[in-house]
Amino acid sequence: LASTSVRVSALQPGPMRRALRASAYADDRGEVLRDPEAYAGACVTLLSPAGAAWRGQVWDAAAGGSE
């Protein structure tokens, strides 16, 4: 795929604040959880022309970049 215009990347958001998670992991209260909306910027970047720089990498949104 490297010689094509196809881009493959992944977004690793980490734990998110969701009702399902709260019901499944009642002991998570001390952990810092982000809202899903916090990852919108990373999604937009990966889908934009600037996201081409991240081709073939995993974007660790919690850390602010790729692994």
Side-chain angles (χ1 to χ4, degrees), residues 31-57:
E31 186 175 350
V32 176
L33 302 175
R34 296 177 67 187
D35 292 318
E37 295 81 11
Y39 302 103
C43 291
V44 170
T45 298
L46 287 175
L47 295 170
S48 73
W54 300 100
R55 174 185 272 171
Q57 297 182 43

Side-chain angles (χ1 to χ4, degrees), residues 17-31:
R17 184 184 330 274
R18 303 298 305 153
L20 178 62
R21 182 177 178 87
S23 67
Y25 299 101
D27 295 337
D28 262 359
R29 306 208 190 286
E31 186 175 350

